[in-house]
Amino acid sequence: KEAMDAGMQFRMRIEDLQTSFTSLLGSQGAAINRVNALSRMAAKTPFELPGIAQASKILQTLTGDAMAVGEGLTTVGDMAAVSDRPIEEVAMHVGRLYDALQSGRPAGEAAMQLQQLGVMSGVTRNKIEAMQKSGKSGAEVWAVAAGSFSRFAGEMERRSQTLSGRISTFHDAWNAAMAEMMKGAAGVRGGAMEELAKAMEKPETIQALRAMGAEIGKITKALAELAVWAANNADKLKQVADAVVAIGKAWATYKIG
């Protein structure tokens, strides 16, 4: 029941995000594509969908498509990963910097916030402020900032390999799977859902699910042990595989002869 509730809640969250992005992007199709892209990002990074979606909304407002999705959002995610701050917080500061540079307003405050997070050096900040004062275009100044951010490339991927990153990634993948399972259920009338919920609460149902979970756990453990053994005995496995191939070739030759 808890898994079903979590799946349904995640599904409703997806639909809420699609609705809010429809208003922001101007069409339902663009909103669905955006949420799907953000879901894929959440499934393979240490950040979860709510934070990524909020970051994308902030950046859409402040930068348009420049930083709100794709490589731009990935850069913000890498910066958030290296600074150990929520991605939506870093998105706000990056978005303000971009907006200030493109509109010709002083960007010192946004640059200072990024410097405090440890993702902008004092040298880069001074260079940005000097270029603004000399009348350089927003695009030219932003290129300097973006170039300094590129040194964090791949940080999300590295963080996703840590235990906390793997847990976060698994959490998003699990929610996405449950949401997909509950996609059809979202349109089922309340009475049918209530009956299903009651069935899930019955002691015999719970006992059966626990027994099934225990068996799945045993299988998972056995597969994990097998994977570890295979990793530690790769040379032996190759020898066995080569021997099997050789026997197969010999048998084929014998049959032809």
Side-chain angles (χ1 to χ4, degrees), residues 34-233:
R34 175 66 61 86
V35 173
N36 287 342
L38 299 180
S39 296
R40 289 193 296 270
M41 180 177 179
K44 59 182 181 179
T45 69
F47 299 110
E48 297 188 6
L49 181 60
I52 291 175
Q54 184 62 24
S56 183
K57 288 179 184 180
I58 292 169
L59 291 167
Q60 188 68 42
T61 300
L62 294 173
T63 75
D65 292 336
M67 300 293 292
V69 71
E71 292 183 5
L73 186 57
T74 298
T75 296
V76 173
D78 288 332
M79 294 168 68
V82 80
S83 64
D84 286 323
R85 301 302 302 166
I87 188 172
E88 59 268 34
E89 178 184 337
V90 177
M92 178 63 73
H93 299 315
V94 172
R96 284 175 175 170
L97 177 68
Y98 183 94
D99 184 53
L101 294 178
Q102 298 301 327
S103 59
R105 296 193 311 274
E109 183 179 349
M112 179 186 70
Q113 294 292 339
L114 292 170
Q115 188 178 4
Q116 290 177 347
L117 291 177
V119 292
M120 178 177 285
S121 68
V123 172
T124 299
R125 178 184 172 187
N126 291 339
K127 188 173 183 179
I128 286 173
E129 292 177 357
M131 290 179 71
Q132 274 199 302
K133 289 178 182 178
S134 68
K136 296 293 184 180
S137 70
E140 290 178 290
V141 185
W142 174 252
V144 172
S148 73
F149 299 151
S150 65
R151 70 184 187 275
F152 304 121
E155 189 61 30
M156 278 195 299
E157 183 177 352
R158 288 188 286 273
R159 292 300 176 95
S160 68
Q161 301 306 310
T162 65
L163 179 59
S164 61
R166 289 180 185 276
I167 291 173
S168 174
T169 300
F170 175 79
H171 186 250
D172 270 306
W174 172 260
N175 280 338
M178 292 306 301
E180 196 62 28
M181 289 175 61
M182 299 307 293
K183 185 175 181 179
V188 177
R189 295 186 178 277
M193 289 301 296
E194 288 178 8
E195 291 299 319
L196 180 58
K198 288 179 182 178
M200 294 296 290
E201 291 174 349
K202 291 181 179 179
E204 56 269 30
T205 303
I206 295 173
Q207 185 177 356
L209 288 173
R210 284 177 176 170
M212 182 176 69
E215 293 304 315
I216 291 174
K218 292 177 184 177
I219 294 171
T220 302
K221 181 182 178 182
L223 289 174
E225 291 174 348
L226 178 61
V228 171
W229 182 89
N232 293 331
N233 294 273

Side-chain angles (χ1 to χ4, degrees), residues 3-13 178-179 182 185-186 193:
M4 290 176 60
D5 288 343
M8 183 61 76
Q9 289 173 8
F10 192 78
R11 184 66 210 170
M12 290 189 293
R13 186 182 302 157
M178 292 306 301
M182 299 307 293
M193 289 301 296

